[in-house]
Amino acid sequence: MYNFEYQNPVKIIFGKGGIRKVGANIPKGSKILLTYGGGSIFKNGVYDQVKAAIKDFEVVEFGGIEPNPHYETLMKAVEVVKNENITFLLSVGGGSVIDGTKFIAAAACFKNGDPWDILSKRALVEDAVPHGTVLTLPATGSEMNSGAVITRMETTEKLSFMSPKVMPLFSVLDPETIYSLPEKQIANGIVDAFVHVIEQYLTFPVNSPIQDRFAESIMKTLIEEGPKVLADQNNYDAAANFMWSATMALNGLIGVGVPQDWATHMIGHELTAYHGIDHARTLAIVLPGVMHIKRKQKENKLLQLGERVWKITEGNVDERIDQTIRKTAEFFESVGIPTKLPDYNVATDTIDSICSRFEKRGYKIGEKADIGPADIRAILENRL
Ligand code: NZQ
Ligand code: ZN
């Protein structure tokens, strides 16, 4: 196992009725900016619960944060934070609202030029407005991590940043908030969380049995509980297990002391940037190609994944790896997410655009930094 340091300061308030506790967790006298997305919180009663919980505070609202949150929209919120002397941000929604609010938190305090540099040049985030969240969509883990992914429409770029300064002070995880999710978003959440585990697991062995078995337990839980949520959205226990799995998949714990890949995400972000395909769906397209193209480098972990998660014990090495890739893709398909590029009606010249973008960036991706434009082409063509 590699050396590591791990600190996760996010307080998790888990379970039914948790939203009531929001006010008690915000510093007294704060002036709050309540951020949200396209309005789902008005339909499912979450907005009313949140407003009741913060009735003793002065509150300004900023809605309309889009899925794959837009830099252009978020910069308008930054103006509100400055003009209204906001001292606390409360985001209510899925990963997009939480990520967007992390960026607002950092950009409002950024003093070293254009806030876009936080994303494009990974400029240091020295300070951020404190932030709490009420999660309504289990998927990204953003509620308990330091990352955010932002899209700039003007340039069709989707870029990420990480900073401990934007980790939420607290996150409320009330499984009942997901009762109103469209099936498509539940499926997205299952696949996104599953691939987060894979990115931190499917690399090469470094003798880290704790991380490996934590990772396998999250994947198995998603495989067991995900379909239960899809079958009966009001199944509280399944919703709770799904929600906690998604948070655990990307709160940093399973990734400590082990190599990490993230190539599937990096390539997937380009498919969203160019075509607006939902984040999780891009991962379902890309991952099988990554598994296939990197089957030699990932051989040990592919066999371990096959044996421990998919119960594949028969056949020679190549056959077992083929079955493991097939089972993984079938799982994505089984929750309603197509895994082939043509399923999304994407023009094939997209592959050229994505490869030339990676060419210009000049660095390679993956746990061994050995995936360059030619490999990315092979990965995407594998999905044609
Ligand atoms: O905007 P509203 O009206 O709230 O509707 C949303 C949105 O349309 C809806 N929704 C959310 N909760 C709901 C609900 N509808 C009914 N009932 C509820 N309880 O769902 C739609 C999608 O929401 P969004 O927040 O976009 O989805 P998700 O949570 O999957 O977030 C995706 C974003 O997170 C980024 C992705 O790239 C993408 O931009 N990621 C962030 C990560 C991180 N911060 O660590 C890691 C991930 O890998 C990912 O990249
Ligand atoms: Zn993801």
Side-chain angles (χ1 to χ4, degrees):
M1 199 193 313
Y2 301 155
N3 292 356
F4 66 86
E5 293 182 13
Y6 181 64
Q7 182 174 24
N8 193 320
V10 183
K11 175 176 176 179
I12 295 295
I13 302 166
F14 190 94
K16 262 181 216 185
I19 296 175
R20 257 183 265 129
K21 301 178 187 162
V22 165
N25 283 281
I26 297 175
K28 278 205 172 56
S30 296
K31 184 170 180 186
I32 301 172
L33 183 70
L34 172 65
T35 56
Y36 56 88
S40 68
I41 64 165
F42 294 107
K43 293 186 203 133
N44 58 14
V46 171
Y47 174 83
D48 292 337
Q49 292 182 58
V50 170
K51 281 304 281 257
I54 55 175
K55 65 177 175 0
D56 297 332
F57 293 86
E58 198 180 339
V59 181
V60 178
E61 297 184 11
F62 187 91
I65 296 178
E66 314 81 357
N68 309 306
H70 299 173
Y71 169 78
E72 291 83 352
T73 305
L74 303 171
M75 287 308 292
K76 291 182 189 151
V78 170
E79 283 311 301
V80 177
V81 171
K82 290 180 178 168
N83 296 339
E84 297 277 349
N85 298 316
I86 296 294
T87 60
F88 195 87
L89 303 174
L90 179 62
S91 57
V92 184
S96 294
V97 174
I98 299 175
D99 279 11
T101 306
K102 287 176 173 173
F103 180 73
I104 297 166
C109 297
F110 193 67
K111 297 202 168 52
N112 299 322
D114 183 352
W116 181 246
D117 292 352
I118 296 171
L119 293 149
S120 63
K121 299 183 183 160
R122 298 277 167 105
L124 184 68
V125 173
E126 286 170 356
D127 203 3
V129 182
H131 168 211
T133 89
V134 175
L135 180 70
T136 64
L137 198 178
T140 64
S142 186
E143 65 279 5
M144 202 177 174
N145 71 34
S146 62
V149 193
I150 308 299
T151 296
R152 189 165 189 164
M153 295 308 284
E154 190 194 342
T155 53
T156 58
E157 285 172 287
K158 186 173 187 195
L159 301 175
S160 62
F161 79 101
M162 289 175 91
S163 165
K165 299 279 180 197
V166 299
M167 287 183 94
L169 220 58
F170 64 83
S171 284
V172 174
L173 276 59
D174 177 349
E176 290 192 323
T177 61
I178 79 162
Y179 291 170
S180 58
L181 276 176
E183 230 171 70
K184 169 183 163 169
Q185 296 300 343
I186 298 172
N188 283 351
I190 296 166
V191 169
D192 192 19
F194 190 92
V195 180
H196 292 158
V197 177
I198 289 279
E199 299 273 28
Q200 301 163 86
Y201 171 89
L202 195 63
T203 55
F204 53 87
V206 291
N207 197 351
S208 54
I210 293 282
Q211 291 90 326
D212 283 6
R213 291 195 171 98
F214 279 172
E216 289 152 5
S217 71
I218 297 169
M219 287 188 278
K220 285 179 168 178
T221 306
L222 288 165
I223 293 164
E224 283 169 19
E225 301 293 315
K228 290 186 199 165
V229 182
L230 282 169
D232 174 9
Q233 227 164 303
N234 294 357
N235 177 340
Y236 178 84
D237 291 333
N241 288 322
F242 167 41
M243 201 170 216
W244 190 224
S245 301
T247 300
M248 289 302 293
L250 196 51
N251 65 3
L253 187 65
I254 63 168
V256 296
V258 298
Q260 300 192 16
D261 181 344
W262 297 106
T264 298
H265 270 70
M266 300 283 283
I267 302 167
H269 286 336
E270 298 305 329
L271 284 171
T272 304
Y274 281 120
H275 298 288
I277 301 171
D278 289 355
H279 170 64
R281 285 158 199 261
T282 69
L283 307 177
I285 298 166
V286 178
L287 178 65
V290 171
M291 291 165 100
H292 175 63
I293 300 297
K294 289 289 159 194
R295 61 199 297 143
K296 268 276 149 272
Q297 292 83 340
K298 293 179 184 292
E299 181 176 301
N300 288 309
K301 283 302 200 64
L302 275 164
L303 293 172
Q304 185 175 308
L305 172 72
E307 187 174 334
R308 295 193 191 171
V309 174
W310 297 121
K311 309 269 178 277
I312 295 164
T313 51
E314 307 273 306
N316 64 31
V317 167
D318 264 328
E319 287 163 355
R320 282 159 66 181
I321 291 176
D322 283 341
Q323 283 186 65
T324 303
I325 300 172
R326 203 161 47 242
K327 282 290 243 179
T328 305
E330 280 170 10
F331 173 55
F332 299 159
E333 300 265 358
S334 76
V335 298
I337 299 205
T339 59
K340 295 273 194 181
L341 199 49
D343 296 329
Y344 295 85
N345 298 320
V346 167
T348 44
D349 64 3
T350 274
I351 298 179
D352 297 333
S353 313
I354 294 177
C355 293
S356 72
R357 233 176 204 183
F358 279 99
E359 188 92 59
K360 279 197 201 101
R361 285 186 192 145
Y363 57 81
K364 293 187 173 180
I365 57 178
E367 69 270 17
K368 294 207 159 144
D370 62 354
I371 299 179
D375 310 278
I376 293 168
R377 178 176 299 285
I379 287 164
L380 290 170
E381 285 180 351
N382 177 264
R383 306 313 293 158
L384 288 178

